[in-house]
Amino acid sequence: MTLVEDSPASTAEVRPPRWRSVVGWTLIAVLLVGVAWIGMQVAATAPSETRSLDPEGRDDVGALALAEILRDRGVDVHVFRSRSDARAAIDDDTTLVMSNPYTLSDEGLAELLAPAERVVFLSAGAHLLSEQGLGQYAAASLTSASADCVVPEFAEIGTIVPDRLFVAADGVQSCFGDAEGAAVLVAESDGVRTTVVDGTKLFSNAYLAEDGNAALGLALLGQTQRVVWYVPTLGDSDVEASTAETLGDLTPPWVTPAILLLLLSGVAAAVWRGRRFGPLVSETLPVTVRASETMHGRARLTARAGDAPHAAAALRDGAQRRLARGLGLAARATTDEIADAASDRLRIPRGTLQTLLGGALPTDDASLVEFARRLAELEDAVENSRPADRGDR
């Protein structure tokens, strides 16, 4: 009897069925087409209305907190999203408040402002500043500012951190700033007082509690018994605008179907003739380069070039990383943070180590040697001053 040995199992890789690759590529193509279509729709959509400083907005950019503070102080706050209703609600003891009325024409804004004797703009554009004769935006910036003007209601506010500054026109009072720019402009003409401030951050719910922001809001809006707060909306716009022609309007009707057909043809060709990737295969590299050889090579190049600043920068970078690790700081700690933490550990005044860890680099070999010695001494001092571990107690 002849025994037939079993053939050994095949070692060839079993590839997945081709239909899986076809389905996968089809899904990717559909996803790409869907993303492109959504992107075109978003690009063709008109910009949405801003909700910044909405007196009924509860999010970070809204101004509900300021409106509620005014109501707690006995001020009647009435919110309108129609300019005709807002105009009808204005009387002699009313402050008209609004953000930049970008949805109104110059004529529509003038009609709204006509019965008002006290107007406060919580934000403004360059056109509004010019049209109202208030001034223009300034290029300067301030970290903090106090009133520094003769407006009585600003006397007890303290300091604020303004976002954007204005340059006042002739005859316009500027407050909370200096000669290069001010955060608040106050103009009085024919019994009408107009105030403008960029309060996008000052009066929003997220920033109202900081510095003197709430006090400034009360000083601007709390001087009358009633506040008529008009919120500009696209639905209340009187600006006549024509819809811009799209690319589809400018091309013949057959272009869009032809483009879609070409895209589908390209996807089909990619699925049909595209390369099928097999399983990953590990490959042994012909040469192994140790990290130490790379380090020594860079060191020899630096020494040959006599580049002391480059070598000093490498020494400082390594020392900073080791100091940050020894001081328990984050890997991305700044030079000032490392220097201050090391000063605190060594109980020396802050600012002593800033020059060593962040100052000018040495330019010659002698200075480089001294620089390296000082860094080593600092690392040793920090290491030796480390508190004892709890396990040693």
Side-chain angles (χ1 to χ4, degrees):
M1 177 182 292
T2 304
L3 298 177
V4 180
E5 297 182 355
D6 295 336
S7 60
S10 175
T11 59
E13 296 289 342
V14 179
R15 296 187 178 182
R18 184 175 180 180
W19 65 268
R20 293 186 179 180
S21 300
V22 173
V23 172
W25 283 106
T26 303
L27 291 177
I28 293 175
V30 171
L31 181 61
L32 292 176
V33 173
V35 170
W37 182 82
I38 294 174
M40 290 187 294
Q41 294 298 318
V42 171
T45 304
S48 59
E49 298 181 38
T50 177
R51 305 292 294 177
S52 177
L53 296 181
D54 190 326
E56 295 177 343
R58 300 177 181 272
D59 52 2
D60 289 345
V61 297
L64 178 62
L66 178 58
E68 291 299 325
I69 291 177
L70 291 171
R71 293 188 177 101
D72 292 341
R73 296 300 180 93
V75 179
D76 295 330
V77 179
H78 302 277
V79 180
F80 296 94
R81 302 180 188 274
S82 168
R83 66 182 186 279
S84 58
D85 294 341
R87 187 180 189 280
I90 299 174
D91 56 24
D92 296 337
D93 194 20
T94 298
T95 300
L96 175 61
V97 183
M98 72 186 79
S99 300
N100 181 27
Y102 66 98
T103 61
L104 299 181
S105 64
D106 294 341
E107 294 76 12
L109 179 60
E111 181 182 357
L112 174 61
L113 300 179
E117 297 182 356
R118 192 180 186 94
V119 181
V120 177
F121 292 104
L122 299 181
S123 62
H127 177 75
L128 177 64
L129 293 173
S130 176
E131 182 67 21
Q132 298 297 317
L134 298 172
Q136 59 186 357
Y137 272 109
S141 61
L142 289 175
T143 55
S144 63
S146 55
D148 195 22
C149 62
V150 296
V151 180
E153 53 263 37
F154 294 163
E156 303 296 331
I157 290 178
T159 61
I160 63 172
V161 180
D163 186 19
R164 300 183 66 183
L165 303 180
F166 309 97
V167 176
D170 295 337
V172 177
Q173 177 72 34
S174 60
C175 301
F176 296 96
D178 51 25
E180 295 183 357
V184 181
L185 301 181
V186 181
E188 296 192 17
S189 177
D190 299 331
V192 179
R193 181 173 183 172
T194 303
T195 306
V196 61
V197 55
D198 195 327
T200 306
K201 287 188 175 180
L202 295 176
F203 304 138
S204 62
N205 296 332
Y207 295 92
L208 185 63
E210 297 182 1
D211 304 309
N213 297 351
L216 178 59
L218 289 174
L220 290 174
L221 310 184
Q223 302 301 315
T224 57
Q225 291 296 320
R226 298 177 68 250
V227 167
V228 172
W229 199 316
Y230 171 65
V231 181
T233 60
L234 295 176
D236 190 51
S237 176
D238 66 333
V239 178
E240 296 182 0
S242 57
T243 304
E245 292 183 334
T246 63
L247 183 61
D249 297 332
L250 300 176
T251 55
W254 56 267
V255 172
T256 300
I259 293 176
L260 294 177
L261 181 59
L262 289 175
L263 289 175
L264 293 177
S265 301
V267 171
V271 173
W272 173 45
R273 301 297 296 175
R275 180 179 178 183
R276 272 65 174 175
F277 295 100
L280 295 178
V281 178
S282 61
E283 181 179 354
T284 303
L285 295 177
V287 178
T288 301
V289 180
R290 292 191 296 271
S292 59
E293 295 183 4
T294 304
M295 178 186 66
H296 292 158
R298 289 198 299 266
R300 286 192 294 270
L301 288 176
T302 302
R304 184 180 302 172
D307 192 357
H310 187 192
L315 291 173
R316 175 187 284 171
D317 181 66
Q320 286 184 353
R321 283 189 276 108
R322 290 188 293 272
L323 286 171
R325 184 168 57 252
L327 294 169
L329 300 177
R332 297 183 179 179
T334 62
T335 300
D336 291 337
E337 292 174 348
I338 297 174
D340 291 342
S343 300
D344 295 341
R345 174 69 67 82
L346 300 177
R347 298 184 178 182
I348 60 177
R350 288 193 173 188
T352 307
L353 303 176
Q354 258 74 8
T355 301
L356 177 60
L357 296 178
L361 296 171
T363 57
D364 52 44
D365 292 344
S367 301
L368 177 61
V369 172
E370 177 64 18
F371 182 74
R373 185 187 62 80
R374 294 179 60 192
L375 287 177
E377 290 178 352
L378 174 60
E379 291 188 56
D380 293 340
V382 171
E383 180 66 23
N384 295 333
S385 63
R386 177 181 300 178
D389 296 335
R390 296 184 178 180
D392 298 335
R393 296 180 181 175

